[in-house]
Structure formats: structure tokens, C-alpha cells
Amino acid sequence: MYGICNLAIIPLRNEPNDRSEQVSQLLFGEFFEVIDQQKQWLKIKLHFDQYEGWIDSKQCKFISKSEFEELVTNGEIYSNDLIEFVTGDMESLIPIPLGSSLSFLNIDSVNSTNFKFEGLKTTGIKPKTELLKTAFLYLNAPYLWGGKSPFGIDCSGFTQMVYKINGYSLFRDASQQATQGEALSFIEESEPGDLAFFDNEEGKIIHVGIVMKDNYIIHASGKVRIDRLDHLGIYNAETNRHTHKLRVIKKII
């Protein structure tokens, strides 16, 4: 069984109930394989990052295996503004957030409600220099555990979405993303767009942000914000203290 998200944003939960922790989100157009089912709840595996969790079956559209395979082979197209909208039958509007997937709109059998999109969109692999331009679109987005949109986003959702919109694949969680790319020995070796990872007292990776020039970093902590980055970690000038301990900087591209 396969499906696609045909709403703006839906929660991906740790357990099959509405009170369970949100571990991630599906944005409009994301598609998946169903790997388990309990009553109205579906355990799914997202195609993009293989992330697993539970969604309410009332919040998606089922598609066939052949339609799923066609989506896999289609080139990705993403919405490229903070908020856009698609129009459906009867001229109804659905607002969709930055980074929503639009590739299914070209497949008539999947797009049975005749969604149309006339806003800004992007496709293909972009130069590394474009990453920060995308990152700045999320500036001041509130922190939300499991979030992936400008209306609420967590640290690894932020880095994943910035890379995704520019044509690159990152895993979902910070600890998973830390296994990707090439480790750098010094901050001085880093370039804008590289990822900086931070650990806790037990040595577990718990935070990630995007390196900027001149020893700054953009990351989601309370909100998407810009702070100083040094060899110790992230320094918050407002509180005059280090908030995160640097573990490693990785060059992904």
C-alpha cells in the first residue's frame, strides 16, 4: 500500500494515536510506503529519507504501486516561497509551505482533484552558494519539535529542508545527518553551507546548524536565528554564553 500527502502539513507520530509525540511532518506532495496498519493509523516509510512513523489514514490519499514508482522516477519540483497555494476543484484553496513537493501535479491519475499551482517553484541541483539564500527564508521561524515548515521547524528539519530545496538529500535527524559528508579538522576549513554538529555531555549529537561566513551560524534554537560560531560551539551574544558544544563540522557537498 502506498500514499501521498494531499494536505498542507500533517504530523508524523511516534505511536498510533493523536496524543503521541510528533517526530516529523509530511508536507504537501510527499509520498510514502505503508508498512503497518492499526485501525485508522498507518505506519509509513517516507520515500525521500526513509523515515518511519504513524499518520492518520484520513489525512492522506492512497495511490497504486505503479503511481508510486512513477513518482520515484519523476524529477522533484518544490514550492519556493514561504507560503503559496494550490487550487483544487470548485476553486478551493490549500495553502502549502516552502518546500512542498509539486511533481505529482503532472500525473493525472494521482492528481485526481486537479490541483493547479501558479507560484514560485524550483527544481534540480543548485550551487552550494544557494543554500544560505534558502536558509534565510526560514529566519525567525519558531522552533517546533518534529517541524519542517516556516510555521514551526526543528534543527535537523531546518537543515534537511534547506538542502532538499536545493536538490540534496539529508537524513532526518541530526545524529543521522552527522554520518554524512566529510569531517573537517578546523572551523577555518569550513565554507558557507557546511553543517556544524553539537553534542551533549554523553557525546550524543543533539543539534545541527548551517555554517555562514565570518564565523556565524544559522540554526533553529527557540527560532531560526543567527549566532556566533567558535571552536567551543555556538555563542549567543544576547545571553553572553555558549549554548551548544561543537562536536564536528561536515562538508556535505
Side-chain angles (χ1 to χ4, degrees):
M1 193 183 305
Y2 302 89
I4 189 168
C5 175
N6 60 349
L7 298 174
I9 306 169
I10 63 172
L12 185 68
R13 300 195 181 277
N14 191 45
E15 300 292 339
N17 68 76
D18 283 314
R19 295 183 178 181
S20 178
E21 170 192 10
Q22 174 180 269
V23 292
S24 190
Q25 292 176 329
L26 278 70
L27 303 187
F28 182 81
E30 290 198 83
F31 53 98
F32 55 84
E33 180 181 1
V34 177
I35 56 178
D36 196 5
Q37 185 168 6
Q38 290 188 23
K39 297 181 180 177
Q40 79 199 52
W41 291 90
L42 306 173
K43 187 173 187 181
I44 67 164
K45 179 187 288 186
L46 276 169
H47 170 70
F48 179 77
D49 56 12
Q50 304 299 296
Y51 208 69
E52 297 181 8
W54 293 87
I55 65 169
D56 188 326
S57 62
K58 300 187 297 294
Q59 294 187 312
C60 70
K61 171 186 169 66
F62 293 106
I63 59 176
S64 67
K65 183 178 181 180
S66 61
E67 289 169 336
F68 177 86
E69 291 171 346
E70 187 173 357
L71 284 166
V72 170
T73 58
N74 261 18
E76 283 287 3
I77 306 169
Y78 300 114
S79 64
N80 200 29
D81 206 350
L82 276 178
I83 185 74
E84 291 279 7
F85 62 87
V86 291
T87 57
D89 288 339
M90 308 295 292
E91 296 301 313
S92 60
L93 299 180
I94 294 182
I96 59 172
L98 178 63
S100 295
S101 182
L102 306 169
S103 53
F104 84 93
L105 302 185
N106 300 322
I107 303 174
D108 291 341
S109 61
V110 181
N111 187 18
S112 56
T113 48
N114 298 312
F115 285 126
K116 295 180 177 61
F117 179 82
E118 297 178 351
L120 294 175
K121 53 189 175 183
T122 183
T123 187
I125 297 174
K126 301 293 189 294
K128 188 175 183 178
T129 52
E130 294 295 306
L131 290 172
L132 284 176
K133 294 179 184 178
T134 302
F136 292 152
L137 292 174
Y138 289 95
L139 202 58
N140 294 314
Y143 183 89
L144 174 67
W145 180 263
K148 286 171 40 176
S149 87
F151 303 104
I153 199 161
D154 64 22
C155 67
S156 55
F158 170 60
T159 52
Q160 186 192 54
M161 289 303 301
V162 168
Y163 270 70
K164 180 180 183 179
I165 290 166
N166 286 282
Y168 304 97
S169 296
L170 290 180
F171 296 131
R172 178 60 179 89
D173 294 336
S175 58
Q176 298 172 320
Q177 293 175 10
T179 66
Q180 298 178 258
E182 170 194 352
L184 303 178
S185 301
F186 305 100
I187 291 179
E188 290 75 20
E189 296 178 357
S190 67
E191 299 173 343
D194 291 340
L195 297 183
F197 294 90
F198 307 85
D199 61 11
N200 60 14
E201 294 176 356
E202 288 76 44
K204 181 181 179 182
I205 300 289
I206 57 167
H207 192 66
V208 60
I210 302 176
V211 175
M212 300 170 59
K213 66 179 182 178
D214 300 327
N215 294 328
Y216 283 94
I217 185 170
I218 182 168
H219 65 124
S221 179
K223 63 180 180 180
V224 176
R225 54 180 294 127
I226 295 171
D227 286 308
R228 300 289 302 190
L229 177 66
D230 60 29
H231 67 283
L232 293 178
I234 295 176
Y235 182 78
N236 184 323
E238 296 171 5
T239 59
N240 294 318
R241 67 183 183 91
H242 283 88
T243 58
H244 298 82
K245 182 166 68 73
L246 182 63
R247 171 71 171 272
V248 66
I249 295 178
K250 304 292 288 281
K251 184 181 296 294
I252 306 298
I253 54 177

